[in-house]
Amino acid sequence: MNIAASILEIAVIGLGIAVMLADLWLPREKKIWLGYAAAAGLALILFGSFSMSGNPATLAFGDMYILDAFALFFKRFFLIAAILVMIVSIEYSPKFQTGKGEYFTLVLFALAGMMFSASANHFALLFVSMELMTITFYVLTSFLRNQLLSLEAGIKYLILGALSSGFLVYGIALVYGTTSTMDFATLREKSALMTDNPLLLVGLLMIIGGLGFKIAAFPFQFWAPDVYQGSPSSTTAFLAVGSKAAGFALLMRLLFVAVPEITLQWEKLLMVIAGITILYGNLCALPQRNLKRLLGYSSIANAGYLMMGIAAMSASGSTAILYYLYSYMFTVIAAFLIIILVMKHTGAEDIVHLAKLHERAPGLAGVMTLSMVSLAGIPPLAGFFGKFLLFEAVIEQATVQSSYYLLAAVAIVGVVISLYYYFGVIRTIYWGKQQMIPEDIQISPASKAALWVCSVVIIYLGIMPERLMQAATAAVESLKF
Amino acid sequence: MIGLEHYLIVSAILFGLGLMGVVMRSNLIVIYMSLELMLNAANLALVSFSRFTNTVDGQVMVFFVITVAAAEVAVGLALIVALYRKRQISEVDELTSLKL
């Protein structure tokens, strides 16, 4: 047993339990400090993670758990995301009538699930970590339990999430039945010898379906717009960033470490999924008037771009995914923080409420513009460089197989379509007609800091991508391409 | 002689029934029962594979699945009850407030 390998997760769970206990004794008006305490604790854990090294890889818990550079990269990603989400949650928490402390605790437990999933080296840990995350999200999505929209979002996420875990478990059973192992390292050897066993292939497809639900890739994307719109905005931000990244971490580990030989046969399938997801997300986003729903469809489209990196099946494709996830995290969290700040008292999050934002709060209007421009992929911002890397990885493969050119073309069409709706948001901010009396916008120091961090990182990653690129390249090395 | 294939056929039938229930029924409780049926079909497959390949991983996995399913039911039923209290509905057809 090598418990020290999972010290980061243990620290996060310990922090979660501490927050839960402190919640019992704190008076109601002071519960907001639990959020700040949790964010500070996470920052400490993040700081501590730099004393760990994933090289060479450490195995723990009967080889179920692996701590390598790839896992560590994702753990840091999740920690940064959770710190920002915690600040977003604090900003949103006045809307919760009860249970602020529980909300912060649940965010921490979902984070623990994500961090475990980055280290999954066995189907049991894959399943349990994914469910820890998903079940926590059932509660987080329906946290405004006095609002029908939030409950409806929770129920929809619940039914489709449980359906996908049914497929996942059945898939695991089939893969286990054909190879009689659940360990990824053993599976790598055994699956190479049985690449045309139909039962194994069906099982793997079912598992990919279960993971595809997490990342909201076609044809498992139906839940995303509804759930994104109905849930509390802070949950939506975490769902868009954390849940998606955890899905990709598991998918990459499964496809490239556990069954690389079979993945090679599936390039067409992966390309088709990527292409349809991009087109579906972007086309459906066009007529949206609700900003959260728009970001829901945009998150489907982004899942498609990220799938391009998987379809490329190369080290450069995976590096691009890791880079893109970072750029996506900062842009999306900035956008959701602004949604919360600007639309505090309006019931729905319609885009028209952003009208003339540059007169009320020029700073917020600037950050929103920055994040929309980055999502659209305009140079020199982070989103552009992420897309550039993904396209580069796909074009690289196109020299071997020409159908990759088609995928790149589809993706470019998607990017062009997306310009329309992202710039629609910017147009509303600066030239939209105001329909109601504007409210005062108050920004807490923590949110201001988070917005500064997000916007600086969006620009920094676009101009100077080298350091993150190095980290991503080092992380991808442990995927054994 | 009852072999592996018999167990697998039963498990596949159960999984199919569960899937049909989820897709075709509209009552939330029935949908939820069907989801549990799907998980248990997978459990049956895991146990029978475990028995016929002489490894214990499958049986251990079943314990995890049962535990997770219990957690899922606890949260799920609470959600369904909360929805019913709010609007006295338990049919999915009526969950239509989130649309374009």
Side-chain angles (χ1 to χ4, degrees), chain A residues 64 122-124 127-128 131 134-135 138-139 141-142 145-156 158-167 169-170 172-174 176-178 180-183 199 206 225-227 229-230 284 287-289 293 297, chain B residues 8 11-13 15 18-19 22-23 28 31-32 35-36 38-39 41-43 45-47 49-51 53-61 64-66 68-69 71-72 75-77 79-80 82-84 86-87 89 92 94-100:
Chain A
M64 275 191 186
H122 189 281
F123 278 126
F127 173 69
V128 173
E131 291 300 310
T134 315
I135 293 177
Y138 296 153
V139 186
T141 48
S142 50
R145 63 172 187 274
N146 292 316
Q147 289 186 13
L148 194 64
L149 282 187
S150 181
L151 279 178
E152 188 177 322
I155 297 261
K156 283 181 174 165
L158 172 80
I159 291 177
L160 294 171
L163 186 67
S164 82
S165 45
F167 275 99
V169 181
Y170 207 78
I172 291 175
L174 291 181
Y176 166 67
T178 41
S180 69
T181 181
M182 289 202 193
D183 183 66
L199 217 49
M206 286 171 117
D226 283 1
V227 174
Q229 184 188 349
C284 290
Q288 300 304 327
R289 277 167 279 125
R293 202 172 174 82
Y297 281 112
Chain B
L8 289 184
S11 140
I13 291 173
F15 191 81
L19 189 59
V22 174
V23 176
L28 277 172
I31 289 180
Y32 220 61
L35 288 167
E36 292 305 309
M38 287 172 72
L39 281 181
N43 281 347
L46 277 169
V47 172
F49 277 131
S50 176
R51 171 74 180 75
T53 56
N54 279 323
T55 47
V56 288
D57 296 37
Q59 299 183 34
V60 175
M61 184 74 188
F64 285 115
V65 176
I66 292 173
V68 165
E72 215 167 50
V75 172
L77 287 182
L79 257 177
I80 295 172
L83 181 74
Y84 189 76
K86 182 78 190 161
R87 260 205 44 199
I89 51 176
V92 273
E94 296 171 49
L95 289 175
T96 51
S97 23
L98 286 169
K99 267 186 180 170
L100 173 67

Side-chain angles (χ1 to χ4, degrees), chain A residues 378-393:
Chain A
I378 308 286
L381 299 178
F384 164 74
F385 199 76
K387 283 203 179 65
F388 172 77
L389 288 175
L390 286 168
F391 278 102
E392 193 188 20

Side-chain angles (χ1 to χ4, degrees), chain A residues 39-355:
Chain A
L42 288 177
L44 268 182
I45 296 171
L46 175 68
F47 185 70
S49 79
F50 286 98
S51 68
M52 300 173 77
S53 157
N55 238 343
T58 327
L59 291 164
F61 303 108
D63 295 359
M64 275 191 186
Y65 180 99
I66 185 166
L67 182 76
D68 53 10
F70 181 76
L72 207 55
F73 183 92
F74 266 102
K75 282 180 214 284
R76 286 177 192 142
F77 174 88
F78 294 134
L79 281 167
I80 297 172
I83 294 171
L84 292 171
V85 165
M86 203 58 89
I87 294 170
V88 177
S89 314
I90 293 168
E91 199 61 59
Y92 194 79
S93 64
K95 283 208 177 182
F96 304 136
Q97 280 136 351
T98 52
K100 286 187 186 118
E102 278 101 337
Y103 190 89
F104 301 137
T105 314
L106 285 170
V107 169
L108 290 174
F109 287 153
L111 168 67
M114 291 168 193
M115 289 169 73
F116 271 119
S117 73
S119 281
N121 197 34
H122 189 281
F123 278 126
L125 186 57
L126 178 145
F127 173 69
V128 173
S129 62
M130 228 176 91
E131 291 300 310
L132 174 57
M133 188 172 79
T134 315
I135 293 177
T136 318
F137 267 119
Y138 296 153
V139 186
L140 289 176
T141 48
S142 50
F143 212 79
L144 294 169
R145 63 172 187 274
N146 292 316
Q147 289 186 13
L148 194 64
L149 282 187
S150 181
L151 279 178
E152 188 177 322
I155 297 261
K156 283 181 174 165
Y157 193 53
L158 172 80
I159 291 177
L160 294 171
L163 186 67
S164 82
S165 45
F167 275 99
L168 180 75
V169 181
Y170 207 78
I172 291 175
L174 291 181
V175 172
Y176 166 67
T178 41
T179 60
S180 69
T181 181
M182 289 202 193
D183 183 66
F184 286 178
T186 326
L187 192 62
R188 187 185 175 94
E189 292 158 21
K190 291 203 177 167
S191 67
L193 304 173
M194 42 205 314
T195 49
D196 48 0
N197 184 322
L199 217 49
L200 177 61
L201 296 182
V202 170
L204 280 172
L205 281 179
M206 286 171 117
I207 296 174
I208 292 173
L211 296 176
F213 169 81
K214 284 274 142 320
I215 60 179
F218 186 87
F220 313 100
Q221 85 294 8
F222 298 108
W223 60 277
D226 283 1
V227 174
Y228 276 49
Q229 184 188 349
S231 341
S233 301
S234 44
T235 306
T236 313
F238 206 26
L239 204 58
V241 174
S243 186
K244 195 185 288 285
F248 271 101
L250 287 170
L251 201 59
M252 284 156 85
R253 178 93 65 186
L254 177 74
L255 288 178
F256 301 135
V257 175
V259 289
E261 304 288 325
I262 295 175
T263 309
L264 287 177
Q265 305 173 358
W266 280 349
E267 51 183 3
K268 287 262 161 55
L269 175 77
L270 294 170
M271 273 193 267
V272 169
I273 293 179
I276 297 180
T277 312
I278 292 172
L279 287 181
Y280 180 92
N282 282 321
L283 286 174
C284 290
L286 285 176
Q288 300 304 327
R289 277 167 279 125
N290 182 299
L291 192 50
K292 271 160 85 181
R293 202 172 174 82
L294 180 112
L295 285 173
Y297 281 112
S298 135
S299 113
I300 296 175
N302 279 293
Y305 298 134
L306 288 160
M307 279 302 289
M308 276 166 53
I310 300 238
M313 291 189 288
S314 60
S316 58
S318 300
T319 315
I321 292 179
L322 301 194
Y323 188 92
Y324 195 88
L325 281 172
Y326 260 96
S327 73
Y328 184 67
M329 165 169 78
F330 288 104
T331 44
V332 165
I333 288 182
F336 276 104
L337 194 47
I338 292 171
I339 291 177
I340 292 172
L341 287 169
V342 177
M343 302 175 184
K344 221 165 217 171
H345 304 291
T346 56
E349 291 88 359
D350 284 344
I351 298 175
V352 284
H353 293 316
L354 286 176

